[in-house]
């Protein structure tokens, strides 16, 4: 069931999203080679806690404030003292905040140090896919319009699009209806309506769009071991425009 949010609810979600945007402004400059992914997660947690929020992923028993995925890790990388960031890495930070019962969700792929042109281009295309998906997310369109917009840009760049995982409704829970695929599919295709709050999140792979699940039960990896980039914003749909709530 799709929950259309009222003005009060959107205002609450907006405040959570603004806090999340501020958290990214605080954390991103601190991500450096040599840090463990747990070091990064600790910075995220302290910021969220200090500003009155709680990590949204704790609602789903994820062992961290941030999903921190590096290079060929697509999503849901578990923070660890044993995993360290290296020069040239793509480090994806996927964070959600629960602020007074309102949920925000956003992802940034951070380029660390001297990255390859291949890595830089992949992240740029993922961000272009996100922008195209957001542009297609307007009242009167259908969810499939978002998928086509994302897929067309990635495909034209020669990249694979992850199809087993997708965006979703958000705001009152971490994952809500509807699903927001990044690939055209034959699944449900509801019309986009005012009051929808959606997490749009292209996951773009350097090679195949196929993925595998690691033994830890959380981390999703590219099936061919090539790089992946992830970009995400939470947006709210209004009759005459769509607002990017997590805009930094």
């Amino acid at each position: 069931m799709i929950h259309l949010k009222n003005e009060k609810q959107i205002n609450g979600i907006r405040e959570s999203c603004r806090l999340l945007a501020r958290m990214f402004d605080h954390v991103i400059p601190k991500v450096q080679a040599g840090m463990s992914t747990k070091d990064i997660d600790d910075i995220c947690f302290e910021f969220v806690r200090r500003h009155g929020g709680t990590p949204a992923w704790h609602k789903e028993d994820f062992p961290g404030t941030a999903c921190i995925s590096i290079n060929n890790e697509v999503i849901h990388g578990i923070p660890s003292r044993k995993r360290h960031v290296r020069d040239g890495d793509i480090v994806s930070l996927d964070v959600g905040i629960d602020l007074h019962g309102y949920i925000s969700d956003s992802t940034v792929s951070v380029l660390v140090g001297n990255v390859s042109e291949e890595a830089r281009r992949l992240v740029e295309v993922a961000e272009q896919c996100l922008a195209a998906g957001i542009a297609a997310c307007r009242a009167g369109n259908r969810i499939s319009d978002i998928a086509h917009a994302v897929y067309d840009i990635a495909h034209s760049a020669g990249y694979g699009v992850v199809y087993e995982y997708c965006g979703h409704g958000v705001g009152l829970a971490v994952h809500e209806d509807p699903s927001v695929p990044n690939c055209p599919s034959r699944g449900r295709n509801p019309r986009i309506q005012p009051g929808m709050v959606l997490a749009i999140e292209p996951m773009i792979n350097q090679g195949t769009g196929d993925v595998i699940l690691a033994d830890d039960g959380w981390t999703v990896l590219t099936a061919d071991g090539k790089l992946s980039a992830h970009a995400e914003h939470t947006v709210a749909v209004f009759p005459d425009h769509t607002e990017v709530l997590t805009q930094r």
Side-chain angles (χ1 to χ4, degrees), residues 28-74:
I28 290 171
K30 300 180 185 298
V31 178
Q32 299 178 16
M35 299 178 71
S36 74
T37 55
K38 185 64 169 65
D39 292 333
I40 299 170
D41 192 69
D42 287 345
I43 296 171
C44 295
F45 175 76
E46 287 302 321
F47 184 95
V48 172
R49 184 186 59 81
R50 189 167 67 250
H51 290 87
T54 58
W57 306 162
H58 289 183
K59 291 178 175 290
E60 300 199 340
D61 297 325
F62 180 79
T65 299
C67 298
I68 305 177
S69 308
I70 299 176
N71 294 334
N72 67 317
E73 299 170 346
V74 180

Side-chain angles (χ1 to χ4, degrees), residues 187-209:
R188 292 180 59 204
N189 186 26
R191 194 170 296 280
I192 299 170
Q193 303 176 60
M196 282 186 172
V197 177
L198 304 174
I200 300 174
E201 51 176 322
M203 291 155 266
I204 309 302
N205 293 350
Q206 189 178 32
T208 178

Side-chain angles (χ1 to χ4, degrees), residues 4-22:
L4 300 180
K5 279 70 173 180
N6 59 35
E7 182 179 1
K8 177 182 177 181
Q9 291 168 333
I10 291 177
N11 284 337
I13 298 165
R14 183 184 288 115
E15 288 305 307
S16 180
C17 288
R18 286 175 176 170
L19 179 60
L20 181 53
R22 288 169 54 202

Side-chain angles (χ1 to χ4, degrees), residues 138-154:
R138 56 182 184 268
N141 278 2
R142 290 192 178 273
I143 291 295
S144 63
D145 292 313
I146 300 172
H148 280 284
V150 169
Y151 181 83
D152 287 349
I153 287 180

Side-chain angles (χ1 to χ4, degrees), residues 50-208:
R50 189 167 67 250
H51 290 87
T54 58
W57 306 162
H58 289 183
K59 291 178 175 290
E60 300 199 340
D61 297 325
F62 180 79
T65 299
C67 298
I68 305 177
S69 308
I70 299 176
N71 294 334
N72 67 317
E73 299 170 346
V74 180
I75 51 174
H76 302 164
I78 299 174
S80 170
R81 296 287 181 205
K82 298 179 180 179
R83 296 171 62 235
H84 289 81
V85 176
R86 298 173 299 178
D87 186 67
D89 280 348
I90 300 174
V91 180
S92 167
L93 306 177
D94 184 355
V95 183
I97 295 175
D98 180 342
L99 185 66
H100 311 309
Y102 296 109
I103 310 296
S104 53
D105 188 0
S106 185
T107 303
V108 179
S109 287
V110 181
L111 295 166
V112 179
N114 299 302
V115 298
S116 66
E117 284 304 312
E118 291 83 0
R120 188 177 302 278
R121 179 172 178 266
L122 178 63
V123 171
E124 288 174 352
V125 170
E127 292 172 348
Q128 291 168 12
C129 289
L130 176 58
I134 292 170
C137 180
R138 56 182 184 268
N141 278 2
R142 290 192 178 273
I143 291 295
S144 63
D145 292 313
I146 300 172
H148 280 284
V150 169
Y151 181 83
D152 287 349
I153 287 180
H155 184 69
S156 66
Y159 294 139
V161 182
V162 174
Y163 52 87
E164 291 187 35
Y165 298 86
C166 60
H168 49 88
V170 71
L172 304 181
V174 173
H175 292 102
E176 303 177 15
D177 288 335
S179 294
V180 185
N182 296 307
C183 293
S185 69
R186 296 181 181 179
R188 292 180 59 204
N189 186 26
R191 194 170 296 280
I192 299 170
Q193 303 176 60
M196 282 186 172
V197 177
L198 304 174
I200 300 174
E201 51 176 322
M203 291 155 266
I204 309 302
N205 293 350
Q206 189 178 32
T208 178

